[in-house]
Amino acid sequence: MMKNKNWEVKKLGEIIKLEYGKPLPDYKRDVKGKYPIYGANGEKGRTNEFFCNKPSIVIGRKGSAGEINLTESKFWPLDVTYFITFDEKQYSLKFIYRLLSTLNLPRFAKGVKPGINRNEIYNIEVKVPNILEQQKIAAKLDKIFDKTKKLEEIYKKNLQNTKDLFNSVLNETFNQGTDRQTDRQTDRQTDRQTDRQTDRQTDRQTDRQTDRQTDR
């Protein structure tokens, strides 16, 4: 079925296959390993072995079901995931990734420990152009997301600067309040000392005048 020039409506099952990931024993895991280990919601560790030898997309199968991650060139997908295979002559990996990102796959998760049935994913209908258009669209989206990421970084930096400025003003205000309190305390102590000195001087003068009058 043709739609909008070279766009076709297809089911996902005609475009991708969801393959099961594989368990990886602890002794094969290495925090300094060459290759990433992918769980249902992203990278879970490193290993020096790989199960897949080309970039793919990992989809959470159990737990964080429906979460998607674009992988490195060689990686190990755990058994709580699917990884996709497809015909690289007809489809662009980046386009598929962006397409899957729009489908809200977590909504298909079911059960106490949420899981996804790949047959339900296969039945989703999508519109797909030819590979040249896919590549153009993916390239444009990459540029947009790169700009968005930079804007997010600027926003986060500005937000941190705003927080720092707020804390600075808050501390300055607090310190000014403390300084004022200290000044008031100092003024009180000075006033007390002055009063005591004045009283002493007054008492001395009074005593001397009294003595003079008595002597007369």
Side-chain angles (χ1 to χ4, degrees), residues 99-116:
L99 177 63
L100 293 176
S101 299
T102 68
L103 298 179
N104 188 22
L105 297 182
R107 65 193 165 103
F108 293 97
K110 297 175 182 176
V112 177
K113 185 176 182 181
I116 280 182

Side-chain angles (χ1 to χ4, degrees), residues 131-143:
I131 189 165
L132 292 177
E133 287 298 317
Q134 291 175 37
Q135 291 169 344
K136 289 178 183 178
I137 291 168
K140 286 181 181 178
L141 288 173
D142 282 347
K143 287 182 181 179

Side-chain angles (χ1 to χ4, degrees), residues 13 17 25 32 60 63 77 132 192 197 200 206:
K17 297 300 177 188
K32 296 181 180 179
L132 292 177
R192 286 181 192 139
Q197 288 175 353
R200 284 174 191 151
T206 302

Side-chain angles (χ1 to χ4, degrees), residues 10-18 85 91 118-126:
K10 291 187 174 184
K11 291 188 175 181
L12 271 180
E14 299 176 72
I15 301 170
I16 62 173
K17 297 300 177 188
L18 300 179
T85 58
Y91 303 105
R118 60 184 175 179
N119 291 322
E120 288 191 86
I121 306 302
Y122 287 158
N123 284 325
I124 299 173
E125 287 191 342
V126 293

